[in-house]
Amino acid sequence: MPIKIPDDLPARRTLETEGVMVMRETDAVRQDIRPLRIGLLNLMPNKISTETQIARLIGATPLQVELSLLRISNHVSRNTPADHMASFYRPWDEVRGERFDGFIITGAPVERLPFEDVTYWDELRRILDWTQTHVHRSFNICWAAQAAAWHFHGIPKHELQTKAFGIFRHRNLVPSSPYLRGFSDDFVIPVSRWTEVRRADLPADSGIVVLAESEEAGLCLLDDTCHRSLHMFNHVEYDTTSLADEYFRDVSAGTPIQLPGNYFPGDDPRRAPVNVWRGHAHLLFGNWINEIYQTTPYEIAGIGSTSQAA
């Protein structure tokens, strides 16, 4: 089954050219099926690029998925056209009474700020609590993963001396996890962050399982079983050129930045990078969607009840 997104969302054209099955809204309403409802709280500056990356990954499953684009209620995006936000995004306040099978919260360019200094921190805390009563399973990415770890468990983030930036090898620590089904023993993932969460800070009684870790880049993927959440500290969803875009942006702005490690062939930024993580990105999101499908209540109203599957 295809992914259902608005007919005129820019991501539609990109996904259709890539061969991803995209369902028209008019066709979706005629099917006698309950699609999986996935919410995307998009905190990234370039929202169009990020929504395309996420839609590409959740649209590759054989299940029908309905993607809802959400934003922080009282925060105005400065990097995405206002008409795009008005046409395709709903403020969280408008959907807080609704339920979702899955919910994704992206990274945000605020990781060097203390959590409490982020202008929308109070609302994000309410959203994280809301996921425990209105969402079956959550997927938090980069800064959102750090924010969830801090909010739910008091796990701090630590600033790095230099940015963790590049493509790094990670070890599959729990091959039996349903989320790592089909994964290689080790795999590469893009990393782009100034802060980290450390294994030593994970509370022993938290129920957190470390699924993937890198000798160079540290913790990567946590299964927060008590909160039905995955915390991904890196950017498995990135496009081939995402790290290059960040590198050249900083170079143009005069911001000190090192070459992303293991990324440009021969460390030559004039040469096009090669995507060697795409397969595992699809596998991770596919496994997450499948786990939702296997365990979510048949009636969406049952999400959040004490009897739902953990």
Side-chain angles (χ1 to χ4, degrees):
M1 290 291 181
I3 182 174
K4 173 179 173 264
I5 56 178
D7 292 345
D8 48 354
L9 186 73
R12 169 179 288 273
R13 294 188 294 274
T14 301
L15 299 183
E16 287 177 336
T17 61
E18 295 176 358
V20 177
M21 293 183 63
V22 184
M23 172 172 280
R24 294 184 302 172
E25 293 179 292
T26 52
D27 293 334
V29 297
R30 291 199 296 264
Q31 288 201 348
D32 186 18
I33 187 173
R34 181 174 91 72
L36 292 180
R37 293 200 71 207
I38 305 296
L40 172 61
L41 182 66
N42 192 350
L43 305 178
M44 291 291 277
N46 189 337
K47 290 184 170 27
I48 295 175
S49 175
T50 301
E51 69 203 26
T52 303
Q53 292 167 358
I54 299 299
R56 174 186 296 118
L57 294 173
I58 66 174
T61 73
L63 303 171
Q64 184 178 324
V65 176
E66 177 184 296
L67 180 63
S68 298
L69 301 177
L70 308 175
R71 62 173 175 83
I72 293 291
S73 301
N74 298 313
H75 180 75
V76 178
S77 175
R78 295 175 296 176
N79 299 280
T80 303
D83 60 345
H84 182 86
M85 298 300 298
S87 297
F88 302 115
Y89 280 79
R90 299 168 66 193
W92 172 71
D93 274 343
E94 286 188 7
V95 304
R96 60 192 307 171
E98 301 178 15
R99 286 171 166 76
F100 293 84
D101 300 288
F103 200 77
I104 301 167
I105 307 179
T106 72
V110 294
E111 60 174 311
R112 300 177 87 171
L113 290 174
F115 292 116
E116 293 75 12
D117 289 351
V118 175
T119 57
Y120 49 80
W121 176 244
D122 287 342
E123 181 170 352
L124 183 63
R125 290 181 62 202
R126 293 194 296 272
I127 292 171
L128 290 170
D129 287 338
W130 167 86
T131 64
Q132 301 306 289
T133 56
H134 288 72
V135 172
H136 183 58
R137 294 194 187 277
S138 300
F139 196 130
N140 304 308
I141 299 173
C142 201
W143 178 79
Q146 296 180 344
W150 172 249
H151 176 69
F152 288 127
H153 300 284
I155 301 170
K157 61 179 179 176
H158 301 271
E159 189 156 351
L160 299 168
Q161 291 185 341
T162 58
K163 187 177 185 179
F165 191 43
I167 307 299
F168 299 102
R169 302 206 73 84
H170 291 74
R171 289 174 292 126
N172 176 353
L173 300 180
V174 190
S176 60
S177 167
Y179 301 111
L180 296 182
R181 187 178 294 114
F183 267 62
S184 306
D185 292 339
D186 73 344
F187 49 93
V188 296
I189 287 183
V191 179
S192 178
R193 48 182 165 77
W194 283 98
T195 55
E196 67 176 359
V197 167
R198 297 173 181 168
R199 179 186 275 267
D201 293 327
L202 303 182
D205 60 349
S206 65
I208 289 175
V209 179
V210 180
L211 299 182
E213 188 174 20
S214 167
E215 291 184 4
E216 296 175 275
L219 293 176
C220 172
L221 182 64
L222 307 181
D223 182 2
D224 187 352
T225 57
C226 294
H227 297 93
R228 304 186 308 282
S229 299
L230 288 182
H231 305 316
M232 161 60 74
F233 297 118
N234 302 321
H235 285 286
V236 69
E237 82 283 1
Y238 265 9
D239 291 324
T240 303
T241 62
S242 295
L243 292 181
D245 294 340
E246 293 181 8
Y247 172 74
F248 290 121
R249 176 202 64 199
D250 288 352
V251 169
S252 297
T255 303
I257 187 64
Q258 75 272 21
L259 276 173
N262 313 308
Y263 180 62
F264 292 114
D267 283 337
D268 183 351
R270 296 169 298 180
R271 299 176 63 185
V274 176
N275 192 315
V276 290
W277 61 91
R278 182 183 295 117
H280 284 99
H282 279 281
L283 198 54
L284 178 61
F285 273 80
N287 286 342
W288 180 68
I289 291 288
N290 183 64
E291 191 65 12
I292 291 173
Y293 176 73
Q294 297 292 336
T295 59
T296 196
Y298 179 77
E299 298 291 344
I300 198 166
I303 291 175
S305 70
T306 55
S307 60
Q308 78 168 75

